[in-house]
Amino acid sequence: MVTLVHFQTCLREYAMKFNELGSKYDHTLHHSSELEALIDHYSRFVTDPENKAAWEQLAEQELDSLHSLVEELRQQSAYCVAIMEKYRALRLQRGDVQIADYFKNIEECIDKEFGSFHVTSQSKVLLVGSGSYPMTPLYIAKRTGAEVVGIDIDEEAITLGQKVVEILGAGLNIRLERLLLEQLDYTQEATHIIFSSTVANKYDLLDQLHDLTNDHVVVAMRYGDQLKSLFNYPMLETDSRKWKLADTVLRPDDVFDIALYQKA
């Protein structure tokens, strides 16, 4: 049984470690092993059933200090995941294709991303927040033959991601762009759109997407509620005049769950 005091101590220690290792990134592989070990450990922490009761107890207290700590953990862990993807991309360029536990977990999630809304070779998939190691575009394009476009606001992530695609995705129909949704013509064409769980303003962007997309688009929103909200931005209500929740894909052993939306 995880005690409340121990649980709170763990949260504060994780926040401190994320802040420390996140600040040490210098565009090289220095500190990469430390950060990968931390992310892997944190992934297990937020999916460990033994931590669920402690989280529920803590959440019931509605402490302002808890809300600020949880927000800090989301921001810091998201930033560190982005850095870890950069480490993995840099390693790949050196010929190292080892995969961390966190990435294995993510790849297992991708397989059932859209539930019954299947991706086919005729689909056009858009990923918002593709990162430096674009696993989702690579996986989908390889498995289905679909056209996939990934966008990210991080210039270094796009540069590294393009090199990863050149190495692992030769011949696949993948394109990465440093563009906003409204700047991309492909947004109107997309049949399937995926939001990374670490995109903080994803529900604001979903609202914006209503006027930028076709009537039949399906949006997969990666999210994390309750204990998983320590590592992901949670599900939010949508404007019922614009979007309806079509389905949810709950994966207890994985770091995020998936909400599927269609136009109302």
Side-chain angles (χ1 to χ4, degrees), residues 122-149:
Q122 302 304 307
S123 300
K124 293 179 178 291
V125 183
L126 172 61
L127 174 62
V128 182
S130 53
S132 304
Y133 202 100
M135 294 177 295
T136 299
L138 287 164
Y139 186 93
I140 291 175
K142 186 173 183 180
R143 285 287 294 268
T144 68
E147 179 181 359
V148 188
V149 174

PDB file of all heavy atoms in Angstrom, residues 122-149:
ATOM      1  N   GLN A 122      -5.769   4.625 -48.461  1.00  0.00           N
ATOM      2  CA  GLN A 122      -6.372   5.816 -49.056  1.00  0.00           C
ATOM      3  C   GLN A 122      -6.501   6.959 -48.050  1.00  0.00           C
ATOM      4  O   GLN A 122      -6.901   8.069 -48.413  1.00  0.00           O
ATOM      5  CB  GLN A 122      -7.760   5.474 -49.611  1.00  0.00           C
ATOM      6  CG  GLN A 122      -7.757   4.363 -50.652  1.00  0.00           C
ATOM      7  CD  GLN A 122      -6.829   4.663 -51.816  1.00  0.00           C
ATOM      8  OE1 GLN A 122      -6.928   5.726 -52.419  1.00  0.00           O
ATOM      9  NE2 GLN A 122      -5.940   3.740 -52.129  1.00  0.00           N
ATOM     10  N   SER A 123      -6.176   6.705 -46.804  1.00  0.00           N
ATOM     11  CA  SER A 123      -6.335   7.716 -45.763  1.00  0.00           C
ATOM     12  C   SER A 123      -5.256   8.796 -45.864  1.00  0.00           C
ATOM     13  O   SER A 123      -4.171   8.570 -46.401  1.00  0.00           O
ATOM     14  CB  SER A 123      -6.266   7.059 -44.382  1.00  0.00           C
ATOM     15  OG  SER A 123      -7.289   6.094 -44.217  1.00  0.00           O
ATOM     16  N   LYS A 124      -5.589   9.937 -45.305  1.00  0.00           N
ATOM     17  CA  LYS A 124      -4.631  11.045 -45.191  1.00  0.00           C
ATOM     18  C   LYS A 124      -4.567  11.418 -43.711  1.00  0.00           C
ATOM     19  O   LYS A 124      -5.547  11.932 -43.157  1.00  0.00           O
ATOM     20  CB  LYS A 124      -5.072  12.239 -46.038  1.00  0.00           C
ATOM     21  CG  LYS A 124      -5.038  11.960 -47.548  1.00  0.00           C
ATOM     22  CD  LYS A 124      -5.518  13.177 -48.324  1.00  0.00           C
ATOM     23  CE  LYS A 124      -5.455  12.929 -49.828  1.00  0.00           C
ATOM     24  NZ  LYS A 124      -4.073  12.847 -50.314  1.00  0.00           N
ATOM     25  N   VAL A 125      -3.434  11.149 -43.090  1.00  0.00           N
ATOM     26  CA  VAL A 125      -3.294  11.276 -41.639  1.00  0.00           C
ATOM     27  C   VAL A 125      -2.427  12.484 -41.300  1.00  0.00           C
ATOM     28  O   VAL A 125      -1.375  12.691 -41.907  1.00  0.00           O
ATOM     29  CB  VAL A 125      -2.672   9.990 -41.040  1.00  0.00           C
ATOM     30  CG1 VAL A 125      -2.590  10.097 -39.515  1.00  0.00           C
ATOM     31  CG2 VAL A 125      -3.488   8.764 -41.448  1.00  0.00           C
ATOM     32  N   LEU A 126      -2.872  13.257 -40.332  1.00  0.00           N
ATOM     33  CA  LEU A 126      -2.136  14.425 -39.858  1.00  0.00           C
ATOM     34  C   LEU A 126      -1.833  14.243 -38.376  1.00  0.00           C
ATOM     35  O   LEU A 126      -2.740  13.977 -37.583  1.00  0.00           O
ATOM     36  CB  LEU A 126      -2.960  15.698 -40.074  1.00  0.00           C
ATOM     37  CG  LEU A 126      -2.429  17.000 -39.468  1.00  0.00           C
ATOM     38  CD1 LEU A 126      -1.067  17.357 -40.039  1.00  0.00           C
ATOM     39  CD2 LEU A 126      -3.430  18.132 -39.681  1.00  0.00           C
ATOM     40  N   LEU A 127      -0.567  14.370 -38.002  1.00  0.00           N
ATOM     41  CA  LEU A 127      -0.163  14.283 -36.598  1.00  0.00           C
ATOM     42  C   LEU A 127       0.262  15.658 -36.102  1.00  0.00           C
ATOM     43  O   LEU A 127       1.170  16.273 -36.661  1.00  0.00           O
ATOM     44  CB  LEU A 127       0.989  13.293 -36.427  1.00  0.00           C
ATOM     45  CG  LEU A 127       1.591  13.213 -35.017  1.00  0.00           C
ATOM     46  CD1 LEU A 127       0.551  12.739 -34.007  1.00  0.00           C
ATOM     47  CD2 LEU A 127       2.804  12.303 -34.983  1.00  0.00           C
ATOM     48  N   VAL A 128      -0.371  16.128 -35.041  1.00  0.00           N
ATOM     49  CA  VAL A 128      -0.042  17.418 -34.439  1.00  0.00           C
ATOM     50  C   VAL A 128       0.890  17.166 -33.254  1.00  0.00           C
ATOM     51  O   VAL A 128       0.497  16.559 -32.262  1.00  0.00           O
ATOM     52  CB  VAL A 128      -1.312  18.148 -33.967  1.00  0.00           C
ATOM     53  CG1 VAL A 128      -0.944  19.508 -33.388  1.00  0.00           C
ATOM     54  CG2 VAL A 128      -2.302  18.302 -35.120  1.00  0.00           C
ATOM     55  N   GLY A 129       2.123  17.641 -33.380  1.00  0.00           N
ATOM     56  CA  GLY A 129       3.139  17.382 -32.368  1.00  0.00           C
ATOM     57  C   GLY A 129       3.947  16.142 -32.712  1.00  0.00           C
ATOM     58  O   GLY A 129       4.057  15.205 -31.924  1.00  0.00           O
ATOM     59  N   SER A 130       4.556  16.138 -33.909  1.00  0.00           N
ATOM     60  CA  SER A 130       5.232  14.934 -34.409  1.00  0.00           C
ATOM     61  C   SER A 130       6.547  14.651 -33.701  1.00  0.00           C
ATOM     62  O   SER A 130       6.995  13.503 -33.642  1.00  0.00           O
ATOM     63  CB  SER A 130       5.467  15.048 -35.916  1.00  0.00           C
ATOM     64  OG  SER A 130       6.128  16.253 -36.237  1.00  0.00           O
ATOM     65  N   GLY A 131       7.213  15.679 -33.149  1.00  0.00           N
ATOM     66  CA  GLY A 131       8.422  15.453 -32.377  1.00  0.00           C
ATOM     67  C   GLY A 131       9.643  15.114 -33.210  1.00  0.00           C
ATOM     68  O   GLY A 131       9.599  15.084 -34.447  1.00  0.00           O
ATOM     69  N   SER A 132      10.734  14.835 -32.516  1.00  0.00           N
ATOM     70  CA  SER A 132      12.023  14.575 -33.170  1.00  0.00           C
ATOM     71  C   SER A 132      12.180  13.140 -33.638  1.00  0.00           C
ATOM     72  O   SER A 132      13.058  12.844 -34.454  1.00  0.00           O
ATOM     73  CB  SER A 132      13.168  14.892 -32.196  1.00  0.00           C
ATOM     74  OG  SER A 132      13.079  16.206 -31.729  1.00  0.00           O
ATOM     75  N   TYR A 133      11.373  12.253 -33.103  1.00  0.00           N
ATOM     76  CA  TYR A 133      11.434  10.834 -33.488  1.00  0.00           C
ATOM     77  C   TYR A 133      10.009  10.422 -33.833  1.00  0.00           C
ATOM     78  O   TYR A 133       9.281   9.893 -32.991  1.00  0.00           O
ATOM     79  CB  TYR A 133      11.992   9.987 -32.349  1.00  0.00           C
ATOM     80  CG  TYR A 133      12.573   8.671 -32.805  1.00  0.00           C
ATOM     81  CD1 TYR A 133      13.949   8.532 -32.964  1.00  0.00           C
ATOM     82  CD2 TYR A 133      11.761   7.585 -33.086  1.00  0.00           C
ATOM     83  CE1 TYR A 133      14.499   7.329 -33.395  1.00  0.00           C
ATOM     84  CE2 TYR A 133      12.303   6.384 -33.515  1.00  0.00           C
ATOM     85  CZ  TYR A 133      13.666   6.263 -33.667  1.00  0.00           C
ATOM     86  OH  TYR A 133      14.212   5.066 -34.102  1.00  0.00           O
ATOM     87  N   PRO A 134       9.584  10.697 -35.072  1.00  0.00           N
ATOM     88  CA  PRO A 134       8.168  10.563 -35.450  1.00  0.00           C
ATOM     89  C   PRO A 134       7.715   9.111 -35.607  1.00  0.00           C
ATOM     90  O   PRO A 134       7.517   8.605 -36.716  1.00  0.00           O
ATOM     91  CB  PRO A 134       8.099  11.328 -36.770  1.00  0.00           C
ATOM     92  CG  PRO A 134       9.471  11.228 -37.344  1.00  0.00           C
ATOM     93  CD  PRO A 134      10.414  11.230 -36.174  1.00  0.00           C
ATOM     94  N   MET A 135       7.549   8.450 -34.485  1.00  0.00           N
ATOM     95  CA  MET A 135       7.149   7.045 -34.488  1.00  0.00           C
ATOM     96  C   MET A 135       5.797   6.823 -35.147  1.00  0.00           C
ATOM     97  O   MET A 135       5.605   5.875 -35.902  1.00  0.00           O
ATOM     98  CB  MET A 135       7.088   6.524 -33.047  1.00  0.00           C
ATOM     99  CG  MET A 135       8.399   6.470 -32.337  1.00  0.00           C
ATOM    100  SD  MET A 135       8.155   5.932 -30.628  1.00  0.00           S
ATOM    101  CE  MET A 135       7.187   7.286 -29.980  1.00  0.00           C
ATOM    102  N   THR A 136       4.833   7.697 -34.805  1.00  0.00           N
ATOM    103  CA  THR A 136       3.475   7.494 -35.313  1.00  0.00           C
ATOM    104  C   THR A 136       3.415   7.592 -36.836  1.00  0.00           C
ATOM    105  O   THR A 136       2.856   6.705 -37.486  1.00  0.00           O
ATOM    106  CB  THR A 136       2.504   8.498 -34.655  1.00  0.00           C
ATOM    107  OG1 THR A 136       2.510   8.277 -33.242  1.00  0.00           O
ATOM    108  CG2 THR A 136       1.100   8.320 -35.189  1.00  0.00           C
ATOM    109  N   PRO A 137       3.974   8.636 -37.474  1.00  0.00           N
ATOM    110  CA  PRO A 137       3.984   8.659 -38.936  1.00  0.00           C
ATOM    111  C   PRO A 137       4.667   7.434 -39.543  1.00  0.00           C
ATOM    112  O   PRO A 137       4.162   6.857 -40.511  1.00  0.00           O
ATOM    113  CB  PRO A 137       4.756   9.943 -39.263  1.00  0.00           C
ATOM    114  CG  PRO A 137       4.497  10.829 -38.101  1.00  0.00           C
ATOM    115  CD  PRO A 137       4.491   9.907 -36.911  1.00  0.00           C
ATOM    116  N   LEU A 138       5.810   7.051 -38.989  1.00  0.00           N
ATOM    117  CA  LEU A 138       6.523   5.881 -39.504  1.00  0.00           C
ATOM    118  C   LEU A 138       5.684   4.619 -39.383  1.00  0.00           C
ATOM    119  O   LEU A 138       5.579   3.823 -40.322  1.00  0.00           O
ATOM    120  CB  LEU A 138       7.849   5.702 -38.767  1.00  0.00           C
ATOM    121  CG  LEU A 138       8.949   6.705 -39.106  1.00  0.00           C
ATOM    122  CD1 LEU A 138      10.050   6.676 -38.052  1.00  0.00           C
ATOM    123  CD2 LEU A 138       9.537   6.409 -40.482  1.00  0.00           C
ATOM    124  N   TYR A 139       5.086   4.434 -38.232  1.00  0.00           N
ATOM    125  CA  TYR A 139       4.302   3.226 -37.968  1.00  0.00           C
ATOM    126  C   TYR A 139       3.089   3.156 -38.895  1.00  0.00           C
ATOM    127  O   TYR A 139       2.831   2.125 -39.524  1.00  0.00           O
ATOM    128  CB  TYR A 139       3.869   3.219 -36.505  1.00  0.00           C
ATOM    129  CG  TYR A 139       3.181   1.952 -36.065  1.00  0.00           C
ATOM    130  CD1 TYR A 139       3.898   0.912 -35.484  1.00  0.00           C
ATOM    131  CD2 TYR A 139       1.808   1.786 -36.229  1.00  0.00           C
ATOM    132  CE1 TYR A 139       3.271  -0.259 -35.074  1.00  0.00           C
ATOM    133  CE2 TYR A 139       1.168   0.624 -35.824  1.00  0.00           C
ATOM    134  CZ  TYR A 139       1.898  -0.385 -35.247  1.00  0.00           C
ATOM    135  OH  TYR A 139       1.273  -1.550 -34.851  1.00  0.00           O
ATOM    136  N   ILE A 140       2.338   4.261 -38.969  1.00  0.00           N
ATOM    137  CA  ILE A 140       1.118   4.252 -39.773  1.00  0.00           C
ATOM    138  C   ILE A 140       1.433   4.088 -41.257  1.00  0.00           C
ATOM    139  O   ILE A 140       0.795   3.291 -41.956  1.00  0.00           O
ATOM    140  CB  ILE A 140       0.314   5.541 -39.528  1.00  0.00           C
ATOM    141  CG1 ILE A 140      -0.258   5.538 -38.109  1.00  0.00           C
ATOM    142  CG2 ILE A 140      -0.804   5.685 -40.555  1.00  0.00           C
ATOM    143  CD1 ILE A 140      -0.974   6.812 -37.730  1.00  0.00           C
ATOM    144  N   ALA A 141       2.408   4.840 -41.740  1.00  0.00           N
ATOM    145  CA  ALA A 141       2.755   4.759 -43.162  1.00  0.00           C
ATOM    146  C   ALA A 141       3.251   3.368 -43.531  1.00  0.00           C
ATOM    147  O   ALA A 141       2.914   2.833 -44.603  1.00  0.00           O
ATOM    148  CB  ALA A 141       3.807   5.802 -43.506  1.00  0.00           C
ATOM    149  N   LYS A 142       4.034   2.769 -42.645  1.00  0.00           N
ATOM    150  CA  LYS A 142       4.571   1.440 -42.928  1.00  0.00           C
ATOM    151  C   LYS A 142       3.492   0.372 -42.880  1.00  0.00           C
ATOM    152  O   LYS A 142       3.448  -0.528 -43.722  1.00  0.00           O
ATOM    153  CB  LYS A 142       5.680   1.108 -41.929  1.00  0.00           C
ATOM    154  CG  LYS A 142       6.403  -0.204 -42.229  1.00  0.00           C
ATOM    155  CD  LYS A 142       7.595  -0.388 -41.297  1.00  0.00           C
ATOM    156  CE  LYS A 142       8.351  -1.664 -41.642  1.00  0.00           C
ATOM    157  NZ  LYS A 142       9.528  -1.864 -40.737  1.00  0.00           N
ATOM    158  N   ARG A 143       2.592   0.475 -41.892  1.00  0.00           N
ATOM    159  CA  ARG A 143       1.567  -0.552 -41.716  1.00  0.00           C
ATOM    160  C   ARG A 143       0.441  -0.451 -42.737  1.00  0.00           C
ATOM    161  O   ARG A 143      -0.152  -1.460 -43.124  1.00  0.00           O
ATOM    162  CB  ARG A 143       0.985  -0.452 -40.305  1.00  0.00           C
ATOM    163  CG  ARG A 143       1.883  -0.988 -39.208  1.00  0.00           C
ATOM    164  CD  ARG A 143       1.942  -2.517 -39.219  1.00  0.00           C
ATOM    165  NE  ARG A 143       0.667  -3.108 -38.898  1.00  0.00           N
ATOM    166  CZ  ARG A 143       0.268  -3.447 -37.670  1.00  0.00           C
ATOM    167  NH1 ARG A 143       1.073  -3.222 -36.645  1.00  0.00           N
ATOM    168  NH2 ARG A 143      -0.917  -3.992 -37.458  1.00  0.00           N
ATOM    169  N   THR A 144       0.094   0.774 -43.153  1.00  0.00           N
ATOM    170  CA  THR A 144      -1.105   0.965 -43.972  1.00  0.00           C
ATOM    171  C   THR A 144      -0.836   1.494 -45.374  1.00  0.00           C
ATOM    172  O   THR A 144      -1.697   1.359 -46.249  1.00  0.00           O
ATOM    173  CB  THR A 144      -2.073   1.949 -43.283  1.00  0.00           C
ATOM    174  OG1 THR A 144      -1.487   3.261 -43.284  1.00  0.00           O
ATOM    175  CG2 THR A 144      -2.358   1.514 -41.847  1.00  0.00           C
ATOM    176  N   GLY A 145       0.302   2.141 -45.584  1.00  0.00           N
ATOM    177  CA  GLY A 145       0.564   2.775 -46.870  1.00  0.00           C
ATOM    178  C   GLY A 145      -0.102   4.131 -47.007  1.00  0.00           C
ATOM    179  O   GLY A 145      -0.077   4.740 -48.086  1.00  0.00           O
ATOM    180  N   ALA A 146      -0.690   4.637 -45.910  1.00  0.00           N
ATOM    181  CA  ALA A 146      -1.368   5.940 -45.957  1.00  0.00           C
ATOM    182  C   ALA A 146      -0.364   7.079 -46.076  1.00  0.00           C
ATOM    183  O   ALA A 146       0.807   6.956 -45.708  1.00  0.00           O
ATOM    184  CB  ALA A 146      -2.208   6.125 -44.686  1.00  0.00           C
ATOM    185  N   GLU A 147      -0.832   8.199 -46.594  1.00  0.00           N
ATOM    186  CA  GLU A 147      -0.037   9.421 -46.598  1.00  0.00           C
ATOM    187  C   GLU A 147      -0.107  10.028 -45.197  1.00  0.00           C
ATOM    188  O   GLU A 147      -1.191  10.136 -44.605  1.00  0.00           O
ATOM    189  CB  GLU A 147      -0.595  10.417 -47.616  1.00  0.00           C
ATOM    190  CG  GLU A 147       0.164  11.732 -47.665  1.00  0.00           C
ATOM    191  CD  GLU A 147      -0.427  12.712 -48.655  1.00  0.00           C
ATOM    192  OE1 GLU A 147      -1.433  12.369 -49.323  1.00  0.00           O
ATOM    193  OE2 GLU A 147       0.107  13.839 -48.756  1.00  0.00           O
ATOM    194  N   VAL A 148       1.027  10.438 -44.650  1.00  0.00           N
ATOM    195  CA  VAL A 148       1.070  10.982 -43.294  1.00  0.00           C
ATOM    196  C   VAL A 148       1.879  12.282 -43.294  1.00  0.00           C
ATOM    197  O   VAL A 148       2.992  12.327 -43.819  1.00  0.00           O
ATOM    198  CB  VAL A 148       1.699   9.993 -42.294  1.00  0.00           C
ATOM    199  CG1 VAL A 148       1.547  10.530 -40.864  1.00  0.00           C
ATOM    200  CG2 VAL A 148       1.073   8.605 -42.407  1.00  0.00           C
ATOM    201  N   VAL A 149       1.317  13.303 -42.678  1.00  0.00           N
ATOM    202  CA  VAL A 149       2.009  14.571 -42.490  1.00  0.00           C
ATOM    203  C   VAL A 149       2.094  14.852 -40.994  1.00  0.00           C
ATOM    204  O   VAL A 149       1.105  14.717 -40.268  1.00  0.00           O
ATOM    205  CB  VAL A 149       1.278  15.733 -43.200  1.00  0.00           C
ATOM    206  CG1 VAL A 149       1.938  17.071 -42.859  1.00  0.00           C
ATOM    207  CG2 VAL A 149       1.282  15.514 -44.710  1.00  0.00           C
TER     208      VAL A 149
END
